[in-house]
Amino acid sequence: MCNKARALFAKYCSEPLPKDPYAKMRWEMAGAHAYLTDALHNIYLWSDKISPSEEQDFAFFCYCAIQNIEHHHHLEETHVFPSMEPEYKTDVLNEHAAFAKGLHDLESYLLAVMEHIKNEADGPSVVVFAVFHFPPYSQSPQLPWILQKVLVPYVLYWKHRKSWRWLPDYSKQPFGPLVQI
């Protein structure tokens, strides 16, 4: 993963919530892209180290990543980008389409191999995956205290706890210190 991109995301999402609406949009996007790129990088780092006994749990972990990315792209395409037109035009929809093909192929594979995944991946699982992928430096998004400090770690976490062992360790490389911009 490009450490420069991570550093740029970190630069913007580590600031307090901006008052300016354009800076706020950049802050929100930087926070979302920081956790999504870390999630993909984390999957890449673990993908060749999974034992056969861990495959089902890791497949579920990967499926949660896909669900987070698809949800993020859906929000961008249906709400964020249309609200910025006609002043802001972007090729990001074409980029999303190119990226989506690989995601759908991976999702199809996971669903074919692990039939139970779709039934298991509920909203709380996707939220747990997202919350634990937010880098510690990120102030975006601002989540309710009760969700972040109580519900996710003490209530929602436990159902799929075997899948959460692949969450990133932000105290170690490559998730540790960032390149300065």
Side-chain angles (χ1 to χ4, degrees), residues 1-177:
M1 191 59 57
C2 179
N3 209 23
K4 288 183 180 180
R6 287 186 68 235
L8 189 61
F9 296 147
K11 175 182 175 181
Y12 293 118
C13 73
S14 63
E15 301 169 348
L17 175 65
K19 293 190 185 336
D20 177 76
Y22 297 105
K24 181 178 184 258
M25 177 70 70
R26 180 181 62 200
W27 177 80
E28 290 171 343
M29 287 296 208
H33 287 97
Y35 101 81
L36 293 172
T37 54
D38 280 1
L40 289 174
H41 191 175
N42 200 32
I43 288 169
Y44 171 77
L45 291 174
W46 281 105
S47 62
D48 64 347
K49 297 172 183 70
I50 304 302
S51 70
S53 65
E54 298 172 317
E55 287 174 355
Q56 299 255 342
D57 296 327
F58 187 68
F60 182 79
F61 183 82
C62 294
Y63 189 76
C64 287
I66 292 168
Q67 295 306 301
N68 272 271
I69 293 167
E70 287 179 347
H71 178 70
H72 171 75
H73 284 178
H74 174 74
L75 289 175
E76 284 182 331
E77 293 168 7
T78 59
H79 299 289
V80 176
F81 299 135
S83 71
M84 297 166 69
E85 291 179 355
E87 292 83 9
Y88 177 77
K89 291 286 185 190
T90 180
D91 283 342
V92 80
L93 295 180
N94 293 333
E95 293 172 11
H96 281 186
F99 190 73
K101 167 83 170 89
L103 279 181
H104 291 305
D105 289 348
L106 178 57
E107 180 179 32
S108 296
Y109 169 76
L110 292 171
L111 291 172
V113 175
M114 318 289 177
E115 295 176 6
H116 74 283
I117 287 179
K118 194 153 188 136
N119 297 331
E120 292 287 317
D122 51 10
S125 300
V126 174
V127 170
V128 170
F129 181 92
V131 169
F132 280 110
H133 271 90
F134 292 127
Y137 56 78
S138 179
Q139 294 191 43
S140 170
Q142 291 187 328
L143 299 173
W145 177 89
I146 191 88
L147 177 68
Q148 190 172 11
K149 302 294 185 188
V150 178
L151 290 177
V152 169
Y154 295 106
V155 178
L156 304 176
Y157 177 90
W158 297 103
K159 181 177 179 184
H160 296 289
R161 63 188 167 276
K162 289 181 179 179
S163 293
W164 308 140
R165 72 184 113 177
W166 296 288
L167 291 166
D169 181 351
Y170 283 104
S171 68
K172 298 178 182 173
Q173 285 288 4
F175 297 105

